[in-house]
Amino acid sequence: MKWLSDDRLNHLRSVVSEPDFSATKYTFVKELGRGGMGMVCLAEDRELDRLVAIKVLNTPELTEDLGNRMIREAQIIARLEHPGIVPVHDVGTLPDGRIFYAMKYVRGSRLDEYAAQGASLRDRLRKFQAVCDAVAFAHAHGVIHRDLKPQNIMIGSFGEVLVLD
């Protein structure tokens, strides 16, 4: 028996964990991150010829409650039309039964990375105010974030502040 190299084994692990978008209008590009409930990946929307970020549940063993929670999350975010909240474009089910939703892909850096780059106090306070505006908008519409942290805030390529997740 021939053993697999670590590189080959890691490659196989990544292929197995890639979501199957074959029944959708999306093409997998790469994984962007992973959290407790799911993963976020970069994908190409073939119909609109643009990149999107797609959140996918980690587990194909979908309980009705977990699936409904993911769909509800997408619906709530989609209703929160605010320049500081990342818009949701689509929601669906993958061939393996996992729920996903597609949202705007934000080019830029996370707030913690941005702050570490030496932004001035004035600029950091402006970014914080923009976060507060988005969160206040969500609160005014009965939505509480529950996982607000620098890793869930992006500073876009034009300096815009966007709350994720």
Side-chain angles (χ1 to χ4, degrees):
M1 176 177 354
K2 183 177 177 185
W3 295 99
L4 296 174
S5 70
D6 287 346
D7 288 341
R8 190 72 180 140
L9 188 58
N10 288 335
H11 171 73
L12 290 172
R13 281 185 183 129
S14 71
V15 169
V16 167
S17 70
E18 281 181 16
D20 176 12
F21 290 127
S22 62
T24 71
K25 63 180 183 173
Y26 304 105
T27 302
F28 178 85
V29 175
K30 68 179 182 177
E31 183 176 324
L32 295 173
R34 194 172 284 271
M37 192 167 140
M39 69 181 288
V40 177
C41 53
L42 180 63
E44 179 186 353
D45 179 333
R46 293 186 306 274
E47 288 181 9
L48 296 175
D49 192 27
R50 67 177 174 184
L51 293 174
V52 294
I54 299 183
K55 184 172 184 178
V56 181
L57 281 176
N58 276 336
T59 177
E61 292 84 33
L62 181 67
T63 65
E64 187 176 336
D65 184 52
L66 187 56
N68 289 338
R69 183 173 152 199
M70 182 85 159
I71 291 169
R72 208 168 37 251
E73 178 179 317
Q75 291 170 335
I76 288 168
I77 297 169
R79 282 194 305 265
L80 294 176
E81 293 186 33
H82 185 277
I85 298 174
V86 175
V88 169
H89 301 308
D90 191 15
V91 66
T93 306
L94 297 178
D96 66 6
R98 290 187 289 171
I99 304 293
F100 74 90
Y101 64 82
M103 59 196 134
K104 176 182 178 175
Y105 171 58
V106 181
R107 290 170 178 84
S109 57
R110 296 184 334 220
L111 180 61
D112 56 330
E113 297 167 338
Y114 179 83
Q117 295 170 359
S120 70
L121 177 60
R122 173 175 279 210
D123 188 44
R124 286 181 286 157
L125 288 172
R126 283 189 181 130
K127 301 303 185 207
F128 182 69
Q129 179 63 50
V131 171
C132 291
D133 289 344
V135 171
F137 179 83
H139 287 183
H141 288 84
V143 177
I144 298 172
H145 192 289
R146 295 186 187 180
D147 193 24
L148 191 62
K149 57 188 176 186
Q151 294 83 357
N152 286 339
I153 299 166
M154 292 290 293
I155 308 300
S157 54
F158 299 105
E160 71 274 25
V161 176
L162 293 149
V163 177
L164 310 171
D165 212 21

